[in-house]
Amino acid sequence: MSLEDNAKGTGKVWLVGAGPSDAELLTVKGRRLLAEADVIVYDRLAGVGVLAWGRPDAVYIDVGKRAGHHPIPQEEINRILVEQAVKGRRVVRLKGGDPLVFGRGGEEASALKRAGVPFEIVPGITSAIAVPAYLGIPVTHRDLASSLHIVTAHKKDGSLPDIRYQALVEGGGTLVFLMGVHTIRSVTAGLLAEGMSPDMPAAVLERGTRAVQRRITGTVAELAQKAEAAHVQSPAIILVGQAAAFQDMDWYGERPLAGVKILVTRPRERTLRLSAMLRAEGAEVLEAPAIRLVPVADKKDLDQALAELADYAWLVFTSPSGVHIFLEELRKRRMDVRRIAHMRIAVIGEGTAGELTQAGLYPDLMPDVYDGAHLGAALAREVKPGERVLLPRARIGNRELTEKLKDAGADVTDLPIYDTQYETLPWLDLEREFADGRTYAMFTSASTVRGFVKSAGDLRLSGVRALCIGSMTAAAAAGAGMETYTAAKPTLEALVELAKEAAAKEREDGRR
Ligand code: SAH
């Protein structure tokens, strides 16, 4: 690439390996580039989970399947990459696993070079190694396999590839065949014909690193039959060799939330902690923010309240976002946080308290039960008649809270500081995500339920199992027809517990 190209505003393409599906197997570099990209070109093989890490305003281009289910020809994908880059955009081409392991990364690189578009390669974790690891198979082992062969079981034109079975059988070690769901019979027959022992251990590893992953183990002679009986779905790899019988490494299934996929619907900036907690317990997490909280555009009331801060005795917060946005508004005005030093602060619950303590502020009051009615009752006992109470919160807030305060004679300013908008996620196909029957949706407010329902399209809501933080949230989910579960306490910790209980119950019932 020459400097002139840059001056003309040519963008750049990064061919990024997305890893085998588990979003956390994306590299640190890949995640940074994804967050910076103007355009994200992806296909089905890149796990959906990583797409959440792109900018909400990025352009998402799905080149996996076109309407009518025909794959987009490689030439057209190349053309899209060039076209986007010459517009001066930063383009991330996300590819499943590693971009250069049967990923056509080399072909895309050639096309970019021909067009004079600069590019970089970001290697990824290949499914050929990671999927066996997640399903308990070490691809090499001093006692079992001293070499690893990664082979395609699919030819460019769709016909059977000319695999040199004789060399593979003689070479021994672990044989990994990619793209082999439909050719498994010919692959195992090819190996047997060249003298492989019919008792050689083999496995089909289906949709590895995801909640639905399966390992079907058998001898090489019986594998094709077993795979057909189990209705193996794509993507899957065929693994042949002594390592396929390895038994000591089922770490994946031992975690409490293994096999469970959870759609987290909190606003983008609040998903981090909850997703990390769920992933730590073994869940597959899909970050799918259903709502976005935006500071209100009209600042008149806010400015007035801030000008009169000295007259207020109480500051009351009913959500972590309320705290965050309020403090952000102070910062924008270069108002020192000591301007609220004279006020007593009340919060609705632990999450809100947590956001406050991040700023070095500690609440003076928190009810035993985390809802508007209990907060109102607790405040009513403390607030003196005539005292001014500032309540910065969502535009449509809980009414019981304000009523209880007014009954106690408080002078309440209900100050809307943020609006709730519904998110649309162009990369998310909810129907597909819930099709596996083991996906839960997790809701931390009634507004996240409403946002989810709004984006649900043709999804059958009665088939959705909703893990809800509290009774108001559960009522909204039940109202939309979902099967609801409610946390014992309205905290993230209790929500994670709830998910674990649901998963344990499912295991007992033999649903999976
Ligand atoms: N570049 C990719 C491979 C692309 S070829 C990589 O490095 O992983 C596509 C094939 O990869 C699929 O047909 C399947 O054999 C395999 N594959 C990809 N992801 C997989 C997954 N999560 N589980 C099982 N096999 C997978």
Side-chain angles (χ1 to χ4, degrees):
M1 178 210 144
S2 69
L3 283 172
E4 279 162 19
D5 283 333
N6 249 346
K8 271 189 275 163
T10 306
K12 186 165 175 173
V13 175
W14 285 263
L15 301 177
V16 177
S21 207
D22 178 343
E24 286 189 300
L25 294 183
L26 176 68
T27 62
V28 174
K29 187 169 185 174
R31 184 162 180 176
R32 172 176 65 78
L33 290 166
L34 203 52
E36 292 171 359
D38 303 312
V39 180
I40 297 166
V41 180
Y42 66 101
D43 53 59
R44 268 191 185 202
L45 208 53
V48 185
V50 301
L51 294 172
W53 295 335
R55 286 191 345 237
D57 63 337
V59 177
Y60 286 82
I61 304 178
D62 181 358
V63 294
K65 288 260 159 53
R66 189 190 255 164
H69 303 286
H70 294 298
I72 294 193
Q74 186 60 48
E75 296 70 41
E76 193 172 337
I77 298 175
N78 298 347
R79 196 186 53 71
I80 290 170
L81 294 178
V82 170
E83 178 186 271
Q84 294 296 328
V86 298
K87 286 184 185 166
R89 294 170 167 175
R90 285 166 299 182
V91 181
V92 161
R93 164 68 169 127
L94 258 187
K95 304 180 77 75
D98 181 274
L100 304 179
V101 177
F102 304 124
R104 303 184 187 173
E107 294 172 43
E108 291 176 7
S110 296
L112 293 168
K113 185 171 161 68
R114 271 197 306 277
V117 171
F119 61 88
E120 284 186 34
I121 307 287
V122 182
I125 295 183
T126 180
S127 62
I129 295 171
V131 167
Y134 268 53
L135 282 154
I137 299 174
V139 288
T140 73
H141 186 291
R142 284 199 297 169
D143 300 331
L144 302 171
S146 57
S147 68
L148 166 66
H149 308 262
I150 303 173
V151 185
T152 172
H154 183 86
K155 226 181 169 181
K156 201 172 172 184
D157 62 9
S159 66
L160 285 180
D162 7 82
I163 301 171
R164 296 180 55 223
Y165 290 107
Q166 191 187 350
L168 292 176
V169 172
E170 281 169 8
T174 301
L175 310 179
V176 168
F177 297 89
L178 300 186
M179 299 181 272
V181 177
H182 302 294
T183 48
I184 180 162
R185 215 162 257 287
S186 85
V187 167
T188 49
L191 293 169
L192 291 170
E194 292 299 338
M196 179 175 273
S197 160
D199 295 331
M200 179 65 83
V204 173
L205 311 176
E206 181 196 25
R207 295 187 280 180
T209 80
R210 295 179 43 188
V212 289
Q213 71 170 20
R214 281 197 299 173
R215 165 178 172 176
I216 292 140
T217 311
T219 64
V220 68
E222 66 194 9
L223 192 68
Q225 168 110 49
K226 278 193 157 182
E228 275 160 24
H231 301 290
V232 168
Q233 291 185 36
S234 200
I237 71 181
I238 305 164
L239 188 143
V240 181
Q242 296 297 346
F246 198 70
Q247 293 296 344
D248 295 341
M249 218 167 67
D250 179 24
W251 58 275
Y252 186 91
E254 281 168 3
R255 297 161 313 149
L257 289 180
V260 174
K261 187 169 100 193
I262 300 176
L263 201 84
V264 173
T265 58
R266 305 193 93 187
R268 197 170 294 267
E269 55 290 352
R270 309 225 83 84
T271 51
L272 202 66
R273 193 165 147 252
L274 180 56
S275 313
M277 287 163 73
L278 293 167
R279 285 178 172 138
E281 301 289 349
E284 177 185 348
V285 175
L286 195 56
E287 290 160 318
I291 57 170
R292 187 177 354 155
L293 306 178
V294 287
V296 294
D298 179 359
K299 309 283 187 197
K300 216 167 77 270
D301 294 345
L302 174 63
D303 284 329
Q304 187 180 344
L306 292 180
E308 295 168 2
L309 266 187
D311 301 337
Y312 283 95
W314 283 90
L315 186 55
V316 180
F317 291 111
T318 57
S319 71
S321 299
V323 173
H324 178 81
I325 291 172
F326 181 78
L327 293 175
E328 203 52 45
E329 294 287 0
L330 291 188
R331 254 190 296 278
K332 277 188 213 155
R333 290 167 179 73
R334 298 187 58 83
M335 281 177 72
D336 195 296
V337 74
R338 283 171 293 185
R339 296 276 288 276
I340 60 171
H342 65 286
M343 299 170 86
R344 297 183 73 192
I345 306 179
V347 295
I348 198 163
E350 275 172 31
T352 309
E355 187 70 31
L356 200 62
T357 53
Q358 298 260 317
L361 296 164
Y362 291 82
D364 301 293
L365 184 146
M366 182 169 86
D368 296 333
V369 177
Y370 304 157
D371 64 25
H374 287 82
L375 175 61
L379 271 167
R381 286 193 290 273
E382 296 283 327
V383 174
K384 297 187 190 70
E387 271 187 334
R388 294 191 76 182
V389 176
L390 184 60
L391 185 52
R393 60 178 184 167
R395 192 178 295 280
I396 306 154
N398 177 294
R399 250 200 242 121
E400 277 172 290
L401 171 58
T402 34
E403 274 162 19
K404 288 219 158 67
L405 278 166
K406 283 179 184 157
D407 289 349
D411 178 1
V412 184
T413 307
D414 195 350
L415 179 70
I417 58 165
Y418 62 90
D419 282 309
T420 306
Q421 292 178 358
Y422 300 129
E423 282 268 17
T424 39
L425 304 171
W427 45 267
L428 184 66
D429 179 344
L430 279 178
E431 249 176 287
R432 240 189 71 197
E433 294 309 327
F434 281 88
D436 57 26
R438 56 182 71 195
T439 303
Y440 290 87
M442 189 170 263
F443 298 110
T444 51
S445 68
S447 55
T448 57
V449 173
R450 287 191 289 272
F452 175 81
V453 169
K454 194 125 206 280
S455 62
D458 289 336
L459 178 69
R460 205 171 46 83
L461 290 171
S462 59
V464 173
R465 292 169 301 166
L467 301 169
C468 303
I469 198 161
S471 52
M472 300 262 283
T473 307
M482 297 179 219
E483 181 183 333
T484 61
Y485 303 77
T486 310
K489 257 177 96 177
T491 62
L492 299 187
E493 286 74 12
L495 255 182
V496 175
E497 273 315 305
L498 180 70
K500 284 199 225 168
E501 283 161 26
K505 182 152 188 319
E506 231 179 279
R507 249 187 291 248
E508 260 170 44
D509 296 351
R511 240 159 118 169
R512 58 191 172 83

